[in-house]
Amino acid sequence: MPAADTIAASQHPGPAPESAAEWGVSVEDAPREPFAPTGVCLAWEAPMTAEEKALYSTRPPEWERGVVGTPRAVTAGTDPQVMGIIVGVLVLLALNMRHIRRLFHALPQDLWSLRRRANVFDEHTANETRSIFLLIAQLCVFSAVMFLLWLAPRGNTAGFGWIGHGATLSSAIGWLTAATGSYYLFQLAAVGTVGYAFTDPLRCSQWRRGLNASSVLLAQLITIPMLVALFYPGATGAMLAVCAASYVATRLVFIAKGFRIFYRGPLSLVYFILYVGALEILPPAALIRIARAICRGEIVGFTVF
């Protein structure tokens, strides 16, 4: 009788684990279909049915069913590299504050005075040169930040070209700092050349010191507006206006000192007008054009905005 049941089961294959268990036969010893490969799992041998498998395989993961997040906007005020540059400049200034404070005491005289005899208390040392270098570096970096905020008023470069090419906001500030630094070196060379050609060495030195003093004063005037625009993007327009007004005011003081040095009569006005047009109007316009070209990829082969 058991042999007959075995023959019947082999002739009518199907899910019969119950019948196999009923007769005390293990799953491994259960009958298989004729000519069925031994390495293939039959339907009744599978750990789950096709319906159960569909429940596990067709349902998406729960983390894909939530609200899709939006990427955080990268701004100059939230970029760690930009903040590192700004904090680094401020730390260097703080470490040299003792010498910088002494430099500030002589700032009004350098801005305006034309005395031929130096003050007995005036001190011009290597520390003063280092302090002026740090303050000019402050001017270049902070001016670069303001250029960046001006070219992108919202402070967000998402979707613009340079970010797409793998560059960063700190790279943009680096190139703009190089442009503003080159502009200062051009002014220094122009002052030295004009002073050498049209006045004596003492007046040339006084005019050069006036350039440094006006640049140092401008660096201090734009520091607070730059920080406000950096952390409060809504105030960027007003802070840009403040920085522009500060630049115009310091340049007017410098130009007035130059006028006092070079004026010798009505004919001097012609040369002075040429000087203003050649060295006080065209170079700032060229600087703005270069900064915009850097940001748009017209220079050095890549784009910022």
Side-chain angles (χ1 to χ4, degrees):
M1 189 66 182
D5 292 341
T6 303
I7 295 173
S10 62
Q11 292 177 351
H12 303 282
E18 295 81 7
S19 60
E22 180 181 356
W23 291 97
V25 182
S26 63
V27 175
E28 290 78 5
D29 299 332
R32 300 175 63 86
E33 297 182 5
F35 310 107
T38 58
V40 177
C41 180
L42 300 179
W44 59 273
E45 296 176 333
M48 64 181 68
T49 63
E51 292 78 7
E52 293 174 341
K53 184 178 180 181
L55 292 177
Y56 284 95
S57 61
T58 59
R59 180 179 298 174
E62 291 299 328
W63 57 268
E64 291 185 354
R65 301 168 62 90
V67 178
V68 178
T70 56
R72 183 174 65 92
V74 179
T75 65
T78 58
D79 188 89
Q81 297 178 350
V82 174
M83 295 307 302
I85 294 173
I86 295 174
V87 171
V89 171
L90 295 177
V91 168
L92 289 176
L93 293 175
L95 293 176
N96 293 269
M97 187 54 64
R98 182 168 61 91
H99 305 295
I100 292 174
R101 189 184 302 111
R102 185 176 303 170
L103 179 66
F104 284 161
H105 290 318
L107 194 65
Q109 181 179 352
D110 292 339
L111 277 173
W112 191 253
S113 177
L114 294 179
R115 291 179 55 185
R116 285 195 169 271
R117 295 184 62 183
N119 195 329
V120 68
F121 298 104
D122 289 346
E123 181 182 359
H124 306 296
T125 63
N127 291 328
E128 178 184 359
T129 303
R130 182 180 62 187
S131 300
I132 291 177
F133 174 80
L134 289 176
L135 292 169
I136 296 301
Q138 175 193 5
L139 173 64
C140 295
V141 173
F142 290 179
S143 299
V145 174
M146 294 308 297
F147 270 121
L148 184 69
L149 297 177
W150 178 34
L151 295 171
R154 292 172 299 175
N156 186 1
T157 58
F160 291 99
W162 198 347
I163 301 301
H165 286 79
T168 59
L169 289 175
S170 59
S171 302
I173 291 179
W175 284 103
L176 293 173
T177 300
T180 53
S182 300
Y183 172 64
Y184 169 77
L185 293 177
F186 168 79
Q187 292 181 91
L188 201 61
V191 166
T193 302
V194 174
Y196 176 81
F198 293 99
T199 188
D200 57 87
L202 176 61
R203 295 302 190 192
C204 179
S205 176
Q206 290 177 338
W207 199 31
R208 184 172 58 250
R209 293 182 67 85
L211 172 64
N212 290 334
S214 62
S215 301
V216 168
L217 179 60
L218 178 61
Q220 310 314 307
L221 292 177
I222 69 172
T223 298
I224 299 301
M226 184 273 300
L227 293 175
V228 172
L230 199 63
F231 297 110
Y232 298 94
T236 300
M239 296 302 103
L240 286 171
V242 171
C243 291
S246 301
Y247 174 81
V248 172
T250 55
R251 297 309 294 182
L252 287 177
V253 174
F254 174 67
I255 292 172
K257 184 173 184 178
F259 182 81
R260 295 169 61 203
I261 292 175
F262 293 105
Y263 181 74
R264 295 292 182 271
L267 186 60
S268 302
L269 291 175
V270 178
Y271 294 105
F272 190 76
I273 292 172
L274 293 175
Y275 153 74
V276 171
L279 298 180
E280 299 295 341
I281 296 178
L282 293 181
L287 175 63
I288 295 173
R289 179 66 184 87
I290 291 173
R292 185 173 299 171
I294 290 174
C295 297
R296 293 185 177 181
E298 300 173 9
I299 297 179
V300 299
F302 48 78
T303 58
V304 187
F305 308 118

